[in-house]
Amino acid sequence: MSDMIALAQKLNALAARDDVFEDGARVISQGGVPAPMTAFLAVVDETVLERRLDFAVGDVVVSVIAAGRRLRGMIAVSPAAGDHIDLFGKTLSRQEPAMLDAAFALLTDIFTGAARLTVRSLPAEPFGSGGERGISASGLAEIWQIDISETPLPPMSRFLRVNETAFSAVLLVSAGDILATYGDIAGLQSIWDTQVDAFLRAQESLPNHQDGPKLICLEGALDDGNTAALALAGDDVALMVYDPAKLGALHASWRSIFQ
């Protein structure tokens, strides 16, 4: 594949993407979807003009320089990471495997378990020596053994993955077929078998009915006192037993994925 074709595909993907922003930073990974290192390299791979990129996990910010779909090098980590100070301000090179290992170790240490990873694209600043280009995102993916072609999860599966800690049981059905289950689904199975079809028909008959994704809380649907919810998106239906304390986070996540 030529560089021009690859670049055209990147531009098309960027034009079609429905990004989510938080305080001016773009959310590129949430709940481990996609994997933070995959998201990091994907941003480098889409950066053509030289830019400073600030990746943030909570209060920790990793600043790098990228250009030409290549990672030129690392600028800083805030709060300071003293053990890795030799990395900063130096251009990455295949001839410096120890530096590549150290960069990978630093990024892995910061990104592992990240609930959310964001990025800000800022003007470039002087870095390295003239002519030093760094290493392409695809080259780093090969060196670091990362799959940057990771297939994005469908929206419903992404919602369930991002919020998995809020659920004690899940029943996921698509086009009438059970795709996945988690936890004790006996109560959810009963709702699916006896109530869901009637509920959907009743919803469709309402004068103000609107098609589109819906997240609906089912008060009193379970006999054991647990709280259940119904999620609808296209052919996908998910029934979930959820933690009421995380209802606000569930709604926020739903909006960010489906709206």
Side-chain angles (χ1 to χ4, degrees):
M1 180 185 299
S2 72
D3 287 342
M4 288 303 296
I5 292 175
L7 179 56
Q9 291 179 343
K10 289 291 179 186
L11 291 175
N12 287 335
L14 288 172
R17 188 172 60 203
D18 185 16
D19 288 326
V20 175
F21 287 84
E22 181 181 84
D23 298 327
R26 176 158 61 97
V27 178
I28 58 173
S29 175
Q30 184 166 295
V33 182
M37 283 297 292
T38 298
F40 170 82
L41 289 179
V43 171
V44 172
D45 196 39
E46 70 191 29
T47 303
V48 178
L49 301 178
E50 185 160 291
R51 303 290 288 173
R52 169 178 171 148
L53 302 173
D54 284 358
F55 295 88
V57 176
D59 295 331
V60 180
V61 179
V62 182
S63 300
V64 307
I65 289 288
R69 302 172 61 200
R70 306 171 76 87
L71 180 61
R72 294 196 62 210
M74 307 185 70
I75 301 173
V77 173
S78 177
D83 292 344
H84 301 280
I85 195 168
D86 289 343
L87 276 174
F88 305 140
K90 299 180 181 179
T91 306
L92 294 178
S93 169
R94 289 179 180 270
Q95 280 67 54
E96 297 287 346
M99 184 184 295
L100 292 177
D101 289 345
F104 179 68
L106 174 60
L107 293 171
T108 300
D109 182 55
I110 294 172
F111 293 163
T112 296
R116 181 172 298 179
L117 175 63
T118 65
V119 64
R120 295 178 189 269
S121 180
L122 305 170
E125 56 190 64
F127 182 86
S129 302
E132 295 178 318
R133 301 176 61 202
I135 302 176
S136 69
S138 59
L140 288 172
E142 179 182 355
I143 294 169
W144 292 342
Q145 298 183 352
I146 296 170
D147 181 11
I148 60 173
S149 62
E150 176 183 323
T151 302
L153 290 173
M156 183 67 82
S157 296
R158 182 182 175 194
F159 171 73
L160 296 176
R161 172 80 68 82
V162 166
N163 298 287
E164 59 185 352
T165 59
F167 305 132
S168 59
V170 173
L171 173 63
L172 175 61
V173 180
S174 182
D177 295 325
I178 295 178
L179 293 186
T181 62
Y182 169 77
D184 183 359
I185 65 164
L188 299 179
Q189 184 73 61
S190 176
I191 294 174
W192 171 256
D193 292 339
T194 63
Q195 300 182 47
V196 169
D197 282 344
F199 177 82
L200 295 179
R201 286 195 297 269
Q203 284 280 306
E204 292 173 358
S205 67
L206 294 175
N208 60 348
H209 169 74
Q210 294 181 345
D211 291 327
K214 295 180 178 65
L215 178 61
I216 303 164
C217 296
L218 304 176
E219 295 294 338
L222 296 173
D223 295 334
D224 58 9
N226 285 322
T227 50
L230 172 68
L232 308 171
D235 291 332
D236 294 336
V237 179
L239 284 163
M240 303 147 291
V241 178
Y242 69 91
D243 179 356
K246 297 183 178 180
L247 181 59
L250 291 178
H251 278 290
S253 173
W254 182 267
R255 288 193 299 271
S256 71
I257 293 172
F258 287 97
Q259 297 180 8

